[in-house]
Amino acid sequence: MVTNGYITREAFHDIYDYIDAANVDLKAFTENFYGKITLTHMQPVLDTLLLLKKRRRCGLKLPT
């Protein structure tokens, strides 16, 4: 699944319980820049990444 990672915790399980891999596109590394680029907040995306990390059956690859 290719996603921006912006999803509610409730919807997370409706979707991610059925997939094995996700490509989460983190647009920026600071809240200020993230807000300017996406007009949203970065924390929900970070929360999604943490939830994916906790699910050991879904691979997580971070940029190097």
Side-chain angles (χ1 to χ4, degrees), residues 24-51:
V24 180
D25 190 6
L26 183 62
K27 303 286 188 200
F29 294 100
T30 66
E31 176 66 29
N32 186 39
F33 188 69
Y34 203 92
K36 285 181 183 178
I37 297 299
T38 67
L39 302 177
T40 61
H41 297 282
M42 185 170 60
Q43 192 59 52
V45 179
L46 296 176
D47 293 343
T48 297
L49 290 169
L50 288 173
L51 286 170

Side-chain angles (χ1 to χ4, degrees), residues 1-5 16 19 21-26 49 52 58-59 61:
M1 176 176 191
V2 177
T3 177
N4 65 1
Y16 288 104
I19 62 172
N23 180 358
V24 180
D25 190 6
L26 183 62
L49 290 169
L52 286 171
C58 187
K61 179 181 176 186

